[in-house]
Amino acid sequence: MMAALKISGSMSTALRSSNYLLSAKFLMQIHFTRKMSTDAHSIASQLNNSGLLRTQGLIGGQWRDAYDGKTIKVYNPATGEPIADVACMGGRETNDAISSAFDAFRSWSKITAAERSKFLRKWYDLLMAHKEELAQLITLEQGKPLTESMGEVNYGAGFIEFASEEAKRIYGDIIPAPLSDRRLFVLKQPVGVVGAITPWNFPLAMITRKVGPALACGCTVVIKPSELTPLTALAAAELSIQAGIPAGVVNVVMGNAPDIGDALVASPQVRKITFTGSTAVGKKLMAGSAETVKKVSLELGGNAPCIVFDDADLDVAVKGTLAAKFRNSGQTCVCANRILVQEGIYDKFANALLDAVQSMKVGDGFSEGVAQGPLINEAAVKKVDSLIHDATSKGAKVILGGKRHSLGSTFYEPTIISDVDNEMRISREEAFGPVAPLLRFKTEEDAIRIANDTNAGLGSYVFTNSIQRSWRVAEALEYGLVGVNEGVISTEVAPFGGFKQSGLGREGSKYGMDEYLEIKYVCLGNMNKD
């Protein structure tokens, strides 16, 4: 009896201690959330005072509300609290934006390349001058750490700078004629009005990567940013106005995505659709564009393999994998979705990755030292949970994380899963979250076979110290981008795009300019006569 009472007392003490710890943890979470909320409101207020916090659409150089007065809320994913109410536009507003862009195209396409270059350079200068405000806005509405947001501003502005330089280098050709009385030449001319549909994960860079080359080539644009992150797009548009870019050249509509998309693909005045997003939506846009035979550029879903060979430098491989996997909380189209590790280094790599990921700080993107912010919304959390549950039900093991973070909201623990195979859903679907699935392979041929066993073909990564192997594997991988001993490979000076169902066309570099141009062949006859 005394023993029972003693045990009962110990249990009671333990329960009181546990409840105390839970209460303390709960109070700390409330304090953390309130602090984030206060910081977010303060930053939003500063942005509003700077004139960069816009909530209306931009049509023909005028800021406009939706015709029916409807609005949608933009939320801070770190707190779940609303930041602003923005105009909820649809087909009618989009058609007006298209008309505005069509009218502006007549004059914008006729000015000299040098003049367009100067406008773009001024826009770039303003983006860089407002780098801190733009980065704050990205973190506020998208959630990524502020250091990453600063990096996105540099990256995004770089597309405008590169386009300003390439505007003056859109050359045609003179072709030797088969007959002496003829002259043959090729002109490159702007395609026309461009509908640019962009995602939420890089709310600035995905816009500038499309709009920069479009404007440089002489096209005008109607931008449809994600309804989850429209504020960065509107701020960038405001700076385009300040740069002197004429009214109607840049238009922004946001809100009802299906109605806006339908209007863009149906209009004969829109001559090109450029889209970054899911493969499912890309297929619908491609089908819809067929009716008017538009040019289409699609940067769609990925399923990036990250292949670590036995001969890899372990430190380089871990550092590169961290960058490829956990940047933006795993919410990038070129994230390492499957980490293939050769059996000779598997355990050593798993332990080293575990040590590195355990040290990552999770929190609000405005807090110092944070390496991972929240996921974009609750649906993203549920998808990650679903993929992890499927994997563990089929034999995979969670060795780190695997659940919602104690911070609440849409924060998720950085996660590593071992013993994954290529038939599990997490290997077949794009996770878009901070989950690193480890797959074991034996030979180089096995790695290539597993890596290519997918309908996607966007980003891929290889870690090896063998120059011969790096060439063999890079050439064998069915992907548009291959990083060898490097986890961050995107840059404005290189072509970005995928194979198979990861899309069509390329963005960035001189190759990306051609996506916004038509080639016209001109034959001049009777050249030997007056």
Side-chain angles (χ1 to χ4, degrees):
M1 184 73 172
M2 289 296 293
L5 286 172
K6 203 169 186 180
I7 293 171
S8 176
S10 297
M11 288 178 65
S12 176
T13 302
L15 285 171
R16 286 197 301 271
S17 177
S18 175
N19 288 336
Y20 172 78
L21 289 171
L22 287 171
S23 298
K25 188 175 184 181
F26 179 67
L27 289 170
M28 286 175 66
Q29 184 174 327
I30 291 175
H31 173 74
F32 179 75
T33 303
R34 284 177 178 167
K35 184 178 185 300
M36 284 198 298
S37 176
T38 302
D39 291 346
H41 283 302
S42 173
I43 290 165
S45 177
Q46 292 171 21
L47 289 166
N48 189 43
N49 292 336
S50 74
L52 292 182
L53 189 61
R54 291 286 183 175
T55 58
Q56 298 169 296
L58 180 63
I59 301 175
Q62 300 295 317
W63 294 104
R64 299 188 190 179
D65 292 316
Y67 289 124
D68 59 8
K70 289 183 178 179
T71 61
I72 52 174
K73 290 188 181 297
V74 180
Y75 293 92
N76 178 350
T79 64
E81 293 191 341
I83 304 166
D85 295 310
V86 301
C88 182
M89 296 176 157
R92 186 180 168 194
E93 294 88 351
T94 304
N95 286 327
D96 283 353
I98 292 168
S99 295
S100 170
F102 186 76
D103 291 341
F105 175 71
R106 294 188 181 95
S107 56
W108 181 252
S109 61
K110 296 297 188 294
I111 70 172
T112 67
E115 289 177 280
R116 289 198 296 270
S117 175
K118 289 176 183 176
F119 281 121
L120 286 167
R121 182 70 202 193
K122 179 62 175 175
W123 192 13
Y124 163 77
D125 289 339
L126 286 168
L127 289 169
M128 294 306 293
H130 293 277
K131 177 178 174 178
E132 290 187 10
E133 295 102 313
L134 290 169
Q136 290 172 342
L137 194 51
I138 291 170
T139 295
L140 196 62
E141 66 174 347
Q142 198 276 333
K144 66 181 64 175
L146 189 60
T147 52
E148 286 192 23
S149 295
M150 296 283 275
E152 182 180 344
V153 177
N154 286 332
Y155 177 51
F159 285 106
I160 302 299
E161 181 184 36
F162 184 85
S164 74
E165 296 163 347
E166 286 298 298
K168 296 179 285 187
R169 289 188 276 273
I170 299 172
Y171 303 138
D173 289 296
I174 302 295
I175 301 173
L179 300 173
S180 64
D181 66 341
R182 295 183 184 176
R183 298 295 182 270
L184 314 181
F185 61 95
V186 172
L187 296 176
K188 290 185 178 181
Q189 295 181 311
V191 66
V193 176
V194 175
I197 304 173
T198 62
W200 50 263
N201 57 339
F202 287 89
L204 178 67
M206 295 302 98
I207 289 174
T208 56
R209 191 160 75 181
K210 301 175 187 303
V211 176
L215 267 58
C217 291
C219 300
T220 55
V221 296
V222 178
I223 304 166
K224 187 267 161 196
S226 169
E227 60 275 13
L228 299 175
T229 57
L231 301 176
T232 304
L234 296 172
E238 165 62 28
L239 293 176
S240 78
I241 295 173
Q242 294 181 24
I245 294 174
V249 173
V250 174
N251 304 271
V252 185
V253 290
M254 65 278 174
N256 189 319
D259 285 356
I260 293 171
D262 288 347
L264 288 171
V265 299
S267 173
Q269 292 182 332
V270 177
R271 296 308 312 143
K272 176 181 171 66
I273 294 291
T274 174
F275 169 73
T276 297
S278 72
T279 300
V281 174
K283 289 178 178 179
K284 290 180 180 179
L285 292 171
M286 190 175 180
S289 297
E291 188 66 29
T292 52
V293 195
K294 303 184 196 305
K295 291 189 75 169
V296 178
S297 294
L298 303 173
E299 193 262 281
L300 308 177
N303 188 1
C306 177
I307 307 172
V308 182
F309 287 99
D310 284 349
D311 62 1
D313 181 306
L314 186 63
D315 291 338
V316 171
V318 169
K319 182 181 178 182
T321 301
L322 278 175
K325 174 66 258 181
F326 291 99
R327 185 166 60 104
N328 199 14
S329 302
Q331 300 173 119
T332 82
C333 50
V334 290
C335 260
N337 205 55
R338 298 167 293 158
I339 302 172
L340 284 57
V341 187
Q342 199 162 14
E343 57 186 3
I345 200 175
Y346 186 91
D347 292 335
K348 188 181 293 186
F349 177 85
N351 289 330
L353 185 65
L354 179 65
D355 289 342
V357 175
Q358 281 178 324
S359 66
M360 289 173 55
K361 182 179 178 181
V362 179
D364 169 48
F366 290 110
S367 298
E368 188 175 348
V370 165
Q372 182 184 303
L375 297 184
I376 188 65
N377 55 23
E378 186 63 24
V381 173
K382 289 180 178 178
K383 180 180 181 181
V384 171
D385 267 338
S386 172
L387 294 176
I388 292 174
H389 176 74
D390 175 79
T392 54
S393 71
K394 295 173 181 175
K397 298 180 181 64
V398 174
I399 60 175
L400 181 68
K403 61 184 184 296
R404 192 189 296 266
H405 200 279
S406 60
L407 292 174
S409 189
T410 57
F411 290 97
Y412 206 88
E413 292 181 348
T415 300
I416 302 175
I417 309 178
S418 67
D419 300 322
V420 175
D421 66 52
N422 212 41
E423 300 307 313
M424 295 174 182
R425 280 181 56 208
I426 202 163
S427 295
R428 314 304 298 177
E429 301 176 25
E430 195 172 21
F432 240 60
V435 184
L438 303 183
L439 292 76
R440 193 188 305 261
F441 72 89
K442 291 184 178 181
T443 67
E444 183 180 308
E445 291 73 21
D446 288 337
I448 293 168
R449 174 182 53 79
I450 295 168
N452 287 340
D453 183 21
T454 174
N455 288 327
L458 187 57
S460 60
Y461 307 89
V462 178
F463 291 92
T464 176
N465 275 335
S466 168
I467 295 175
Q468 293 90 340
R469 171 175 277 161
S470 67
W471 275 104
R472 286 195 306 268
V473 176
E475 291 177 357
L477 289 173
E478 297 168 353
Y479 291 82
L481 299 89
V482 182
V484 179
N485 295 327
E486 179 55 63
V488 180
I489 56 178
S490 300
T491 169
E492 71 276 9
V493 301
F496 189 102
F499 288 11
K500 297 189 280 191
Q501 293 187 30
S502 281
L504 301 170
R506 293 295 181 268
E507 294 183 316
S509 81
K510 65 176 184 179
Y511 302 102
M513 304 296 291
D514 290 339
E515 302 289 337
Y516 298 90
L517 295 165
E518 295 280 20
I519 294 177
K520 179 182 288 183
Y521 155 59
V522 180
C523 174
L524 297 180
N526 294 315
M527 291 297 292
N528 294 336
K529 298 179 181 180
D530 289 333

